[in-house]
Amino acid sequence: MGMSVELHKETDPLPEFDARKDSSVWGNDAERSELVPGLGDRAYLLVVDEQTSELRVVEGGAVIKLSISASMDYAAAEDGGEPPLDEPDPPAVEPYHADLITDMRDVMKKLKTA
């Protein structure tokens, strides 16, 4: 999990945020981006690949990003362990997209009261 918050005090970040809805502009070559209705002033869920997704929201002068990524970590031979012969695929994060949206709502609520 990762989170970042940018606060814009002098300019409205929405025009630039909308201009970046093309996923390649986000800098992560996302496979697809989806508009998330009813979240902030504008929100996009970016699916980078099966193991990485980002939820980006603009609300007033704040741009908030929550990201989720899954990976597999194996014990290396030099650490006394042996990696598996057939490495399984890392888990997919798509089943957690609804949780990512719920967590974003909670983060936004906490930021408003801070």
Side-chain angles (χ1 to χ4, degrees), residues 15-48:
E16 181 181 346
F17 189 84
D18 276 339
R20 300 176 94 186
K21 70 182 174 185
D22 175 12
S23 60
S24 64
V25 179
W26 293 106
N28 58 13
D29 295 324
E31 289 178 357
R32 69 180 193 273
S33 65
E34 304 168 6
L35 182 65
V36 179
L39 185 60
D41 295 331
R42 192 90 75 249
Y44 292 101
L45 177 66
L46 288 89
V47 177
V48 178

Side-chain angles (χ1 to χ4, degrees), residues 46-77:
L46 288 89
V47 177
V48 178
D49 55 37
E50 288 184 18
Q51 289 80 37
T52 306
S53 293
E54 296 180 358
L55 179 59
R56 295 180 182 241
V57 177
V58 65
E59 172 80 17
V63 177
I64 308 162
K65 178 181 90 170
L66 286 180
S67 59
I68 185 170
S69 182
S71 63
M72 301 293 279
D73 189 19
Y74 303 103

